[in-house]
Amino acid sequence: MVVMLSARLPTINYALPSGRDCKYTGQAVRALPIRIISIGKKRSEGVQLVVDEYIEKLKLYCSVEDAHIRNNPKNARDWRAQVDHEDSAVMDLIRSDDWVVLLDERGKDIGSEQMAELVGDAGNTGASRLSFCIGGPYGHGKRLRERADVSVKLSSMVLNHQIAIVVLVEQLYR
């Protein structure tokens, strides 16, 4: 869901389903490169096909990178150690000037319109990239939670990483 409007096009009021106008109508919005960081087992072939399809569509508007980290990268037996190792792996991929969106079951409940505004607003923060983080089976680590600029949930239900990434890329394209 990358909102890009060209100044050369006539201004059109895009009415949202809620009846209010889009806050970016008639404005040029800087499209940030997007990095999607997910932790989990290898994706199924069907899920990967859907993700790849949406990423190709998104690439018409901005650069998109899909970074997949295998869960429990150091084969820890303790779940806390597993989360710490995954936390370190994710933090290694995040730059200091990234706008980090944590996708978490305890995050702010937002709809499609608010997701579009989040993406549009991120372009005005001075950030160089928008990073979405999907956690592993035990959630996100402490360092990533502290580093995140915003925490949102994709659903009131808990989603595994394969379903979460499909929902995310579809919402970004929407």
Side-chain angles (χ1 to χ4, degrees):
M1 163 176 15
V2 178
V3 180
M4 291 184 60
L5 301 173
S6 172
R8 294 178 300 224
L9 296 176
T11 301
I12 301 170
N13 284 334
Y14 295 99
L16 299 173
S18 64
R20 62 185 180 87
D21 291 335
C22 177
K23 83 187 230 184
Y24 294 109
T25 300
Q27 298 179 35
V29 177
R30 183 176 144 236
L32 289 178
I34 295 173
R35 175 181 273 175
I36 301 167
I37 304 169
S38 63
I39 299 171
K41 295 177 182 172
K42 183 179 177 185
R43 293 184 194 137
S44 72
E45 196 174 303
V47 167
Q48 192 61 54
L49 283 170
V50 172
V51 170
D52 290 344
E53 180 181 340
Y54 274 104
I55 286 177
E56 285 306 309
K57 291 177 180 181
L58 283 165
K59 284 183 177 179
L60 297 173
Y61 305 102
C62 66
S63 147
V64 181
E65 180 184 349
D66 178 17
H68 184 78
I69 299 170
R70 187 175 67 92
N71 64 320
N72 199 7
K74 296 195 176 183
N75 294 318
R77 295 194 187 275
D78 177 40
W79 69 269
R80 287 179 286 277
Q82 178 178 336
V83 170
D84 288 342
H85 295 311
E86 292 166 355
D87 192 36
S88 293
V90 171
M91 291 302 292
D92 287 345
L93 295 175
I94 295 174
R95 297 188 305 230
S96 61
D97 58 348
D98 281 4
W99 179 262
V100 179
V101 179
L102 190 73
L103 300 174
D104 185 75
E105 65 193 48
R106 292 169 282 189
K108 183 178 178 188
D109 192 11
I110 63 172
S112 296
E113 296 168 7
Q114 291 83 21
M115 178 66 97
E117 288 180 2
L118 184 146
V119 171
D121 290 347
N124 297 324
T125 63
S128 67
R129 181 174 56 193
L130 188 55
S131 290
F132 289 90
C133 301
I134 300 172
Y138 299 109
H140 299 285
K142 183 180 178 183
R143 288 175 47 209
L144 181 58
R145 286 186 182 282
E146 291 171 353
R147 169 62 181 86
D149 294 292
V150 65
S151 177
V152 299
K153 64 180 171 181
L154 294 174
S155 171
S156 295
M157 297 179 278
V158 176
L159 305 174
N160 76 23
H161 74 282
Q162 294 196 51
I163 301 300
I165 193 164
V166 169
V167 172
L168 175 63
V169 294
E170 192 280 333
Q171 284 300 302
L172 290 173
Y173 181 69
R174 181 170 291 279

